[in-house]
């Protein structure tokens, strides 16, 4: 068990390095007919110099063996086990401390599995998983999926593929498959031509080296014919032009290649880009039907595919910078059937990003010959001189029970769409961390340590400059320790793009956060103390004696450990605030926290005179903790309110919520004025001028919140409190003063019901993608929608349909479906709740996941103008509504 754990530790320690390079093991796949229906399926692995791959029969407790997993099915059966042949070396491995069996890099390794085929119409799919090591490190386990398409016995023959000379990289990520050139046609008009079966089956890797198509996982049987259709050249309006090629392997099996050519300076993003970063990954989607279907994964190939930092998204992303990129997909299109699909991409240059574009294509085998269509072009078509034909937009799958095919392309352009706001920016999170760190610095566990530690460094011998250097290094290590706490969150991979919404709105997690915050508040009040195991502190303290830079590091670590009772609650609050935004917001928050704690040590060492102006330690430090305890209690009820709204408990309405906050604000005032005390307070606690000023502010806040429980004649319910928007429950969610529908905006919550009503009254629709846990949604509803000139549009001119993406109501069984996760992984997710249905509608049609998001549409699903996200400016939001209404009136008058 320990050795297996060592294997995983070694592998994942190399993860950050291996992500920057291609895997040193490449694969070719071939087959050989033995006799009759018996075939040998052959996988050949090639290792870079110095790297080793491990035998299937590697004993337990060592490295991860090479594993072949074969898809179960009735169309074939396995004969015997997978045989392996190569330069096998057995013996003691110093890295793992046991005997292992590994293949050296001087010879390829062949892995052969014999099968008996029962149905040649179904490919045989398998997955190979392997781990490779050199003398210094092991890379994480990697897998590759491959589909063997076997011909009937009369057409079968031995095939063999050879990797490109000098090419040891994974061909899936580096090679470029160029379409067959049509020298008989000129210009950018569409053309389609079959290529004779004896045409060379090669492509170029982008560097002039010919490579076999099979070597790039493009097929492993002879190509009978190649068909292609040329689209338009790229233009300034559409900077990526697309060509379609189809390779015919016989028996209705084709390999589709969609090749995009970019103008210089333009970029598209890899299919493996995480959409949470913001960039839209390029994807090739095949729309399966009863007869035709896609087989295996889409292969992306480009000579200019690189991972690098992108200023637009402030992240490292995989992107194709200029040149060409090809997306290849194996499909089955039996005679008499047809298959369709599309490539979706987003093009960016150094100044802007265009909206995502879809390029549709199809292969039609319903007649005697294959007919290709690309973006509305066939062999007889000629594209307009201005460029390619506008792509057909996507629609939501009918299986979700949505009757209207929503079209994301706006027909009007009289307003500009707003960029979606996905929570707080990294700088905002950094600022919150900085504030949290400043509060932590004022805690009794840390504040008294500042002058002692600075004096130690400046008076422990050596020059003043040496003391400043040590103190600065000490502060830097404090910063580094807190940043390192966020590193594990960066190792999480493969998350569903919608998981962040699910975290923020999870009933269970919000209840856990409520309990954690109450627990932290008890610690701040002094009822108990949060401490880490004493053994941790002792070990760190002993290591301080190491001396030098390492000793200073352990001094910083000791401070972080012994101060946990003060910093733990604040760090926990920061974690809860940032975790739903992903790893980078958490790192930004931890960085701010570390800067606030570490910087004072360096500054006071450089300017020791400032120490004389610091307030002396005393009872006021405990007062800071108690005040923060009241704040923790108030914030705890924010999370309980979210759980109540999402879970439909109907318990924590606005009256009890505001009463809790009023009591917390009043409690702060009463404590600072000396009317109440807590266990760790001194008996002779004095009132300071600053404490009195804060108490007055707390009393003002108490009065402000209390007004929220008074009636508002204009709305017929409680008076809204702008400072509480997104924190408190909606004002209409109360026990005593329900909202008067005649005085308030009342959206539909059912899409079909709202669309039917819009058709009946002949009004446009505003799709309001929102959430119970969405803070900015409440701000829009309570600050912007309530403005008279906005309210007029929303009550008189539009039908509002609010779609809550965190609604947990289960869908009927017949509406629960598996859909693509749209993250480039090919994996699926289950749509089984109403909220997930609306979330998928927003993501699949409008390519957005953040809320709020407002889309103005006609009752038949036509998008009227560019959608907007959170828009606090009332005039801008009014322009958005006016534009949509004017566009709808033009549509109606033109019919």
């Amino acid at each position: 068990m320990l050795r297996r754990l060592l294997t995983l530790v070694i592998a994942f320690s190399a993860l950050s390095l291996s992500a920057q390079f291609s895997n040193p093991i490449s694969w070719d796949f071939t087959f050989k007919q033995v006799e009759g229906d018996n075939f040998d399926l052959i996988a050949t692995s090639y290792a870079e110099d110095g790297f080793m791959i491990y035998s299937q029969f590697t004993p337990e407790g060592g490295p991860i063996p090479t594993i072949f997993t074969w898809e179960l099915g009735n169309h074939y059966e396995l004969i015997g086990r997978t045989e392996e042949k190569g330069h096998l070396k057995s013996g003691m491995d110093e890295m793992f401390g046991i005997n292992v069996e590994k293949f050296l890099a001087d010879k390829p390794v062949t892995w052969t599995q014999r099968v008996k085929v029962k149905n040649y119409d179904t490919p045989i799919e398998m997955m190979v998983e392997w781990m490779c090591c050199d003398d210094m490190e092991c890379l994480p386990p990697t897998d590759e999926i491959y589909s063997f398409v076997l011909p009937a016995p009369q057409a079968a023959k031995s095939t063999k593929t050879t990797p490109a000379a000098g090419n040891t990289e994974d061909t899936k990520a580096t090679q470029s498959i160029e379409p067959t050139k049509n020298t008989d046609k000129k210009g950018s008009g569409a053309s389609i031509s079959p290529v004779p079966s004896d045409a060379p089956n090669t492509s170029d890797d982008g560097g002039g080296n010919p490579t076999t198509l099979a070597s790039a996982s493009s097929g492993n049987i002879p190509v009978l014919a190649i068909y292609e259709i040329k689209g338009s050249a790229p233009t300034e309006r559409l900077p990526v032009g697309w060509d379609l090629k189809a390779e015919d392997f016989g028996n209705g099996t084709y390999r589709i290649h969609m090749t995009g050519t970019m103008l210089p300076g333009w970029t598209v993003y890899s299919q493996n880009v995480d959409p949470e970063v913001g960039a839209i990954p390029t994807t090739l989607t095949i729309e399966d039907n009863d007869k035709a279907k896609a087989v295996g994964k889409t292969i992306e190939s480009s000579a200019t595919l690189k991972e690098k930092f992108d200023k637009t998204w402030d992240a490292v992303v995989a992107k194709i910078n200029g040149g060409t990129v090809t997306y290849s997909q194996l499909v089955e299109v039996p005679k008499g059937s047809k298959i369709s699909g599309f490539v979706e991409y987003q093009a960016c240059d150094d100044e802007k990003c265009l909206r995502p574009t879809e390029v549709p294509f199809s292969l039609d085998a319903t007649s005697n010959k294959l007919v290709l269509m690309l973006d509305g072009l066939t062999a007889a078509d000629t594209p307009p001189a201005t460029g390619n034909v506008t792509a057909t937009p996507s629609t939501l799958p009918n299986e979700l029970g949505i009757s209207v095919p929503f079209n994301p392309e706006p027909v009007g352009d009289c307003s500009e769409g707003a960029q979606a706001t996905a929570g707080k920016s990294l700088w905002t999170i950094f600022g919150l961390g900085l504030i949290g760190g400043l509060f932590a610095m004022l805690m009794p566990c840390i504040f008294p340590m500042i002058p002692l530690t600075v004096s130690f460094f400046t008076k422990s011998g050596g020059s003043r400059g040496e003391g400043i250097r040590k103190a600065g290094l000490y502060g830097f290590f404090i910063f580094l320790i807190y940043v390192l706490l966020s590193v594990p969150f960066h190792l999480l991979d493969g998350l569903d793009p919608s998981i962040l919404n699910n975290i923020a709105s999870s009933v269970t997690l919000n209840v856990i956060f409520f309990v954690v915050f109450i627990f932290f508040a008890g610690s701040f009040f002094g009822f108990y103390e949060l401490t880490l195991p004493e053994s941790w502190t002792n070990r760190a303290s002993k290591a301080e004696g190491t001396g030098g830079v390492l000793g200073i590091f352990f001094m910083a670590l000791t401070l972080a450990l012994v101060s946990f009772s003060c910093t733990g609650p604040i760090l926990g609050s920061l974690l809860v605030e940032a975790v739903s935004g992903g790893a980078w917001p958490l790192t930004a928050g931890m960085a701010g926290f570390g800067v606030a704690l570490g910087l004072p040590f360096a500054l006071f060492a450089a300017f020791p005179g400032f120490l004389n102006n610091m307030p002396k330690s005393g009872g006021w430090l405990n007062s800071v903790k108690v005040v923060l305890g009241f704040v923790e209690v108030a914030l705890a009820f924010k999370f309980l309110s979210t759980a109540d709204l999402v879970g439909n408990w109907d318990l924590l309405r606005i009256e009890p919520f505001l009463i809790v906050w009023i009591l917390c604000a009043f409690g702060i005032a009463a404590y600072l004025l000396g009317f109440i005390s807590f266990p760790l307070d001194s008996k002779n606690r004095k009132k300071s001028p600053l404490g009195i000023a804060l108490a007055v502010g707390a009393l003002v806040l108490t009065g402000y919140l209390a007004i929220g429980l008074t009636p508002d004649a204009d709305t017929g319910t409680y008076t809204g409190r702008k400072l509480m928007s997104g924190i408190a429950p909606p004002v209409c969610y109360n026990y005593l003063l329900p909202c008067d529908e005649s005085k308030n905006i009342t959206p539909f919550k059912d899409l079909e019901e709202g669309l039917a009503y819009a058709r009946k009254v002949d009004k446009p629709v505003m799709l309001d993608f929102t959430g119970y846990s969405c803070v900015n949604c409440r701000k829009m509803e309570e600050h912007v929608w309530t403005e008279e000139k906005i309210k007029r549009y929303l009550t008189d001119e539009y039908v509002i349909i609010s779609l809550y993406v965190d609604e947990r109501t289960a869908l009927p069984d017949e509406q629960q479906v598996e859909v693509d996760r749209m993250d480039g992984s090919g994996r699926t997710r289950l749509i089984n709740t109403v909220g997930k249905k609306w979330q998928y509608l927003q993501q699949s049609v409008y390519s957005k996941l953040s809320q709020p998001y407002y889309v103005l549409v006609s009752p038949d699903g036509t998008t009227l103008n560019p959608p907007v996200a959170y828009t606090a400016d009332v005039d801008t939001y009014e322009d958005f509504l006016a534009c949509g209404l004017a566009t709808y009136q033009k549509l109606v008058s033109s019919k």
Side-chain angles (χ1 to χ4, degrees):
M1 180 64 183
L2 289 175
R3 289 194 182 100
R4 177 66 66 177
L5 186 60
L6 174 62
T7 301
L8 294 176
V9 170
I10 292 173
F12 283 102
S13 68
L15 182 60
S16 61
L17 180 63
S18 65
Q20 301 176 33
F21 303 96
S22 59
N23 195 283
I25 306 296
S26 59
W27 292 86
D28 282 343
F29 300 97
T30 64
F31 68 85
K32 179 180 180 181
Q33 183 180 6
V34 180
E35 60 177 351
D37 294 323
N38 290 351
F39 289 79
D40 280 344
L41 306 184
I42 306 168
T44 305
S45 60
Y46 303 86
E48 292 183 4
D49 290 343
F51 278 90
M52 298 156 285
I53 190 171
Y54 294 91
S55 167
Q56 303 171 93
F57 312 112
T58 298
E60 278 289 327
I64 295 175
T66 302
I67 301 172
F68 286 83
T69 303
W70 298 86
E71 181 189 33
L72 298 177
N74 298 323
H75 55 293
Y76 77 102
E77 65 180 37
L78 298 175
I79 302 175
R81 68 182 186 182
T82 303
E83 301 293 337
E84 56 186 34
K85 183 179 180 181
H87 186 176
L88 182 65
K89 180 180 180 181
S90 301
M92 175 64 65
D93 190 296
E94 295 181 359
M95 185 178 296
F96 298 100
I98 65 170
N99 290 323
V100 301
E101 296 186 359
K102 56 190 177 184
F103 290 100
L104 303 185
D106 56 343
K107 291 183 179 180
V109 185
T110 58
W111 318 75
T112 305
Q113 174 66 58
R114 184 159 296 180
V115 299
K116 182 177 182 179
V117 183
K118 298 180 179 180
N119 183 351
Y120 287 91
D121 292 334
T122 304
I124 299 175
E125 282 204 5
M126 70 86 186
M127 181 179 73
V128 56
E129 180 181 14
W130 73 92
M131 174 178 170
C132 61
C133 303
D134 62 8
D135 294 335
M136 301 295 294
E137 64 179 1
C138 290
L139 299 185
T142 308
D143 61 65
E144 181 163 334
I145 297 175
Y146 189 78
S147 298
F148 288 93
V149 180
L150 303 180
Q154 62 269 23
K157 59 182 178 179
S158 175
T159 67
K160 182 177 181 181
T161 62
T162 306
N167 178 29
T168 54
E169 296 184 356
D170 183 355
T171 56
K172 289 201 303 181
T174 61
Q175 294 183 358
S176 173
I177 307 171
E178 296 292 343
T180 304
K181 304 300 181 183
N182 182 0
T183 57
D184 296 332
K185 303 283 184 178
K186 294 184 178 181
S188 61
S191 63
I192 179 169
S193 58
V195 180
S197 59
D198 58 353
N201 185 11
T202 62
S203 61
D204 191 278
D205 66 359
N209 300 319
T211 64
T212 63
L213 218 48
S215 170
S217 299
S218 300
N220 51 22
I221 57 178
V223 178
L224 303 181
I226 299 177
Y227 301 86
E228 66 176 358
I229 182 169
K230 304 292 289 183
S232 297
T235 65
E236 290 297 330
R237 187 172 67 88
L238 287 172
V240 184
W242 292 91
D243 300 330
L244 171 63
K245 180 172 70 172
E247 297 171 313
D248 185 357
F249 297 103
N251 297 323
T253 301
Y254 299 88
R255 177 78 66 176
I256 294 173
H257 302 285
M258 282 288 287
T259 299
T261 303
M262 283 155 275
L263 288 179
W266 285 87
T267 291
V268 298
Y269 295 92
S270 167
Q271 64 181 1
N272 300 315
V273 164
D274 184 352
E276 294 174 11
V277 172
I280 304 298
T282 305
T283 55
L284 186 148
T285 301
I286 299 294
E287 299 168 341
D288 295 349
N289 55 58
D290 293 338
K291 296 181 179 180
K293 64 179 181 179
V295 179
K297 289 185 175 181
T298 301
I299 297 174
E300 177 181 61
S301 51
S302 174
T304 59
L305 174 61
K306 295 181 180 179
E307 282 194 353
K308 60 189 300 185
F309 183 80
D310 192 303
K311 293 187 293 183
T312 302
W313 311 110
D314 194 28
V316 175
V317 296
K319 58 184 181 179
I320 297 96
N321 290 304
T324 64
V325 60
T326 297
Y327 294 89
S328 305
Q329 176 67 58
L330 189 69
V331 297
E332 290 183 351
V333 189
K335 187 174 181 180
S337 65
K338 176 182 178 180
I339 196 167
S340 301
F342 58 88
V343 166
E344 181 184 26
Y345 69 96
Q346 181 180 40
C348 300
D349 62 8
D350 293 336
E351 298 180 351
K352 60 183 178 297
C353 287
L354 304 182
R355 64 167 58 99
T357 303
E358 292 182 4
V359 181
F361 61 85
S362 66
L363 275 69
D364 189 344
T366 54
S367 61
N368 292 330
K369 62 178 182 178
L370 184 70
V371 178
L372 273 62
M373 185 280 290
L374 171 64
D375 204 9
L377 305 176
T378 63
D381 289 325
T382 300
T386 55
N388 213 340
V389 178
T390 301
T392 303
S394 64
T395 59
L396 193 71
N398 292 330
E399 59 264 27
L400 286 184
I402 296 178
S403 61
V404 173
F406 288 100
N407 184 336
E409 292 295 328
V411 295
D413 58 359
C414 46
S415 67
E416 295 184 0
Q419 295 294 324
T421 56
K424 299 178 175 64
S425 69
L426 293 182
W427 283 111
T428 302
I429 297 293
F430 177 86
L432 291 175
L434 194 68
I435 294 172
L438 292 175
F439 275 114
M441 189 183 66
L442 298 177
M443 294 292 178
C445 310
I446 297 177
F447 188 82
M449 299 295 295
I450 295 176
L452 294 176
T453 306
V454 172
S455 296
F456 170 78
F457 284 125
T458 56
K459 299 177 181 179
S460 59
S463 64
R464 179 172 179 269
E466 181 68 13
I468 294 175
R469 186 188 71 83
K470 290 181 178 180
L473 197 59
Y474 179 73
F476 170 75
F477 282 141
I478 292 175
F479 162 78
L480 182 64
I481 287 168
Y482 285 106
V483 170
L484 290 177
L485 289 175
S486 68
V487 170
F489 291 85
H490 289 271
L491 302 180
L492 299 176
D493 192 16
L495 296 180
D496 188 329
S498 64
I499 196 170
L500 301 182
N501 279 324
N502 296 336
I503 289 176
S505 61
S506 169
V507 174
T508 302
L509 285 178
N510 276 281
V511 171
I512 291 174
F513 292 157
F514 167 75
V515 173
V516 168
F517 271 54
I518 293 295
F519 183 68
F520 285 159
S523 172
F524 277 148
F525 288 144
F527 297 131
Y528 42 80
E529 186 174 2
L530 299 179
T531 59
L532 292 174
E534 189 175 353
S535 60
W536 294 13
T537 306
N538 292 338
R539 290 177 184 175
S541 183
K542 289 180 181 179
E544 292 179 15
T546 305
V549 174
L550 191 60
I552 295 174
F553 172 80
F554 280 107
M555 286 184 65
L557 181 61
T558 302
L559 176 71
L561 294 177
V562 299
S563 64
F564 178 77
S565 61
C566 294
T567 61
I570 297 177
L571 283 175
S573 304
L574 178 64
L575 175 65
V576 170
E577 178 67 26
V579 71
S580 63
W584 282 113
L586 181 60
T587 298
M590 289 296 187
F593 191 89
V595 167
L597 282 187
L599 191 59
F601 293 96
L603 290 179
F604 285 127
F607 306 101
F610 288 169
L611 288 173
N612 299 326
N613 300 322
M614 286 181 60
K616 304 300 181 183
S617 302
W620 67 272
L621 293 174
N622 189 65
S623 298
V624 174
K625 288 181 63 177
V626 172
V627 170
L628 288 180
F630 282 110
V631 175
E632 294 278 316
V633 171
L635 292 178
F637 277 85
K638 161 66 175 75
F639 293 103
L640 188 61
S641 172
T642 298
D644 174 76
L645 289 168
V646 177
N648 295 312
W649 296 347
D650 204 21
L651 296 174
L652 189 58
R653 300 190 184 187
I654 195 168
E655 294 100 336
F657 183 93
L658 285 180
I659 288 173
V660 169
W661 275 63
I662 289 170
L663 290 176
C664 287
F666 186 75
I668 291 174
Y671 173 75
L672 293 176
L673 293 176
F675 293 108
I676 57 176
S677 297
F678 287 87
L680 298 182
D681 287 324
S682 63
K683 294 182 179 179
N684 298 320
R685 185 162 57 94
K686 298 180 180 180
K687 294 186 286 291
S688 67
L690 179 60
I692 294 174
L694 292 175
V696 171
L699 288 174
V700 172
L701 178 61
T702 302
Y704 176 82
L705 295 174
I707 296 175
L709 293 176
T710 61
D712 184 342
D714 293 334
T715 62
T717 186
Y718 292 113
T719 304
R721 302 285 78 192
K722 288 190 175 184
L723 290 180
M724 299 298 290
S725 294
I727 299 176
V731 291
C732 290
Y733 182 53
N734 62 63
Y735 287 106
L736 304 178
L737 292 176
C739 280
D740 184 348
E741 293 188 5
S742 63
K743 297 181 179 180
N744 294 277
I745 299 169
T746 308
F748 287 90
K749 290 189 177 180
D750 181 274
L751 179 63
E752 297 298 329
E753 183 181 349
L755 291 174
Y757 179 77
R759 285 189 287 267
K760 178 181 178 181
V761 298
D762 192 20
K763 289 183 178 180
V765 173
M766 184 172 81
L767 298 180
D768 166 30
F769 290 98
T770 184
Y772 293 113
S773 59
C774 173
V775 174
N776 284 340
C777 301
R778 301 294 86 77
K779 289 182 179 179
M780 287 293 296
E781 294 160 7
E782 296 175 14
H783 300 338
V784 179
W785 287 14
T786 53
E787 293 290 331
E788 192 58 38
K789 57 184 179 180
I790 301 298
K791 189 175 181 180
R792 178 182 66 83
Y793 278 104
L794 299 182
T795 54
D796 300 339
E797 305 294 350
Y798 284 94
V799 174
I800 305 173
I801 306 176
S802 293
L803 305 176
Y804 286 82
V805 300
D806 50 10
E807 172 62 59
R808 301 294 179 177
T809 303
L811 288 170
D813 291 342
E814 62 273 13
Q815 291 188 23
Q816 296 187 15
V817 294
E818 291 279 349
V819 299
D820 184 75
R821 282 172 51 166
M822 294 183 294
D823 59 357
S825 67
R827 288 171 288 180
T828 61
R829 56 180 165 132
L830 177 64
I831 304 297
N832 57 358
T833 66
V834 172
K836 289 182 179 179
K837 179 178 179 179
W838 304 143
Q839 193 177 79
Y840 184 64
L841 169 61
Q842 183 187 4
Q843 183 185 6
S844 63
V845 178
Y846 300 106
S847 302
K848 299 294 181 184
L849 274 174
S850 60
Q851 292 81 43
Y853 195 66
Y854 304 107
V855 186
L856 304 182
V857 299
S858 65
D860 64 0
T862 300
T863 301
L864 301 175
N865 56 330
V868 300
Y870 175 66
T871 309
D873 184 79
V874 175
D875 292 335
T876 301
Y877 198 70
E878 182 188 19
D879 291 342
F880 162 70
L881 296 174
C883 171
L885 181 62
T887 303
Y888 178 72
Q889 291 170 345
K890 289 180 181 178
L891 283 178
V892 172
S893 62
S894 64
K895 293 182 179 178

